[in-house]
Amino acid sequence: MTATDPERARVDAALHATLLRQAGVITRAQALAAGLSADAVDRRLAARRWHPVHPRVYRDGAFPATEEATVRAAVLWGGPGAVLSGTAAAWWHGLLREPPVTVGLTVPRRRYPRPRAGLTVRRRELAAADVRTVAGLPVVAAPLAALETAVELGARGPGFLEELLAAGRVGPDAAGRAHGRQTGSHGAASAGRVLGIALRGVRFRARRRLGVLLGADGPSGWVRERQVAGLPLELAHPVSRTAVEVSFPSPSGDDERTWRKAVLRRQGWSVVTVDPCDVLARPDDVVERIEGAVRPEPTGPAGAAVRVVS
């Protein structure tokens, strides 16, 4: 072996490790840092061993041109502070099946990258809570990725977000907080509208499911759409004067909810509030909780307790 062989082996090993880690893509700066000379980089490009993807970002021809490689190359091109965003981020999190047609990036406001085909770049500052590292790549956190994707999908957006919320893959509270941190930024108003539609869809789905589980309008004694003192009740058990409301958790200072419960208590009713996501994800637990809250019949031939039929 010549004196240069050990050093060449070290450089080759460093390059290969980087390429393996990054699905076959590498930046010029990474190649130089691994020990490759500028001339050696240019020779690999001239020999078509490496293929330019973006300025100073290359793909090794020994690796396939995959969607992962496309996404990683985009973030590497974005440089320090670049974060994968939008549909590309949702796909990276596994929230979206189809790979992105356009790769979205968020870069700090101080940066002014030139437009590139197949890329969209947004200049903004992200809160630490909205950034994660997934498989070695900086990416917006799943709740924000879901919101951004729902907006990008247009008419498909509310349904997409509703499915994620209903399946528990994105929490309503987390989505709400992510939206709150984007207040005033481009697209925040659209995201808020889509989130509201999706939340209403989840709530409707949970109400319908719970009605079936409780045997509403059947021999169980549960009925739908009852009114007490002018207040509509979603699910009610008139015999035991128990009402169930399917509603997302609200701040402790929710005056309207407090007022509703006070009015119903004065009418002799108790209220059980259940989270729509719990109804969809843990229906047995929700039914058991409601069963425990149903009060015994005030009068009866044998003092039998009213039970919920699930």
Side-chain angles (χ1 to χ4, degrees):
M1 295 179 76
T2 66
T4 59
D5 285 342
E7 177 63 15
R8 184 179 297 115
R10 184 197 67 77
V11 172
D12 287 343
L15 290 172
H16 190 63
T18 300
L19 291 166
L20 281 176
R21 188 171 64 249
Q22 298 178 168
V25 295
I26 191 168
T27 67
R28 191 177 187 91
Q30 288 174 331
L32 297 176
L36 208 62
S37 68
D39 287 343
V41 172
D42 292 338
R43 285 195 297 272
R44 292 186 180 217
L45 290 168
R48 306 295 291 169
R49 289 182 59 190
W50 285 4
H51 306 278
V53 182
H54 299 295
R56 305 179 72 83
V57 180
Y58 319 119
R59 179 180 59 83
D60 189 303
F63 290 78
T66 62
E67 287 86 2
E68 178 185 354
T70 298
V71 169
R72 288 190 181 276
V75 177
L76 288 171
W77 169 81
V83 180
L84 191 65
S85 307
T87 55
W91 176 76
W92 197 258
H93 279 292
L95 302 178
L96 192 65
R97 287 186 178 180
E98 58 265 26
V101 175
T102 300
V103 179
L105 298 177
T106 291
V107 300
R109 290 187 182 277
R110 66 180 183 276
R111 303 276 309 285
Y112 291 89
R114 293 184 178 182
R116 295 281 299 168
L119 302 179
T120 59
V121 181
R122 183 175 178 183
R123 295 170 54 247
R124 59 176 168 167
E125 304 301 329
L126 291 170
D130 289 323
V131 180
R132 296 286 184 272
T133 299
V134 181
L137 210 62
V139 54
V140 296
L144 181 55
L147 288 174
E148 292 178 342
T149 300
V151 172
E152 291 181 32
L153 291 177
R156 293 171 51 205
F160 162 79
L161 187 56
E162 180 182 328
E163 289 300 327
L164 293 181
L165 294 168
R169 302 186 68 187
V170 172
D173 290 346
R177 289 192 296 269
H179 176 253
R181 289 189 289 269
Q182 301 299 309
T183 300
S185 65
H186 176 73
S190 296
R193 286 193 294 271
V194 172
L195 178 59
I197 294 170
L199 289 173
R200 288 193 292 274
V202 172
R203 186 170 175 272
F204 175 79
R205 187 185 301 195
R207 286 176 57 191
R208 184 174 57 189
R209 174 87 180 275
L210 188 58
V212 172
L213 290 171
L214 295 176
D217 302 322
S220 66
W222 286 94
V223 297
R224 304 174 192 266
E225 308 300 339
R226 175 89 173 198
Q227 278 209 356
V228 173
L231 297 178
L233 304 181
E234 299 169 347
L235 288 165
H237 196 285
V239 173
S240 65
R241 294 194 175 187
T242 302
V244 175
E245 293 188 346
V246 181
S247 181
F248 290 102
S250 63
S252 56
D254 188 332
D255 294 335
E256 182 179 353
R257 185 173 295 181
T258 302
W259 172 79
R260 280 179 56 86
K261 287 187 175 182
V263 171
L264 291 170
R265 276 199 300 269
R266 286 197 295 270
Q267 299 296 320
W269 284 72
S270 61
V271 180
V272 181
T273 304
V274 297
D275 189 317
C277 292
D278 288 341
V279 173
L280 298 174
R282 294 173 289 278
D284 292 343
D285 293 343
V286 171
V287 170
E288 183 178 356
R289 178 185 164 205
I290 295 172
E291 285 183 332
V294 172
R295 297 174 301 176
E297 211 176 314
T299 57
V306 177
R307 299 294 291 170
V308 177
V309 178
S310 62

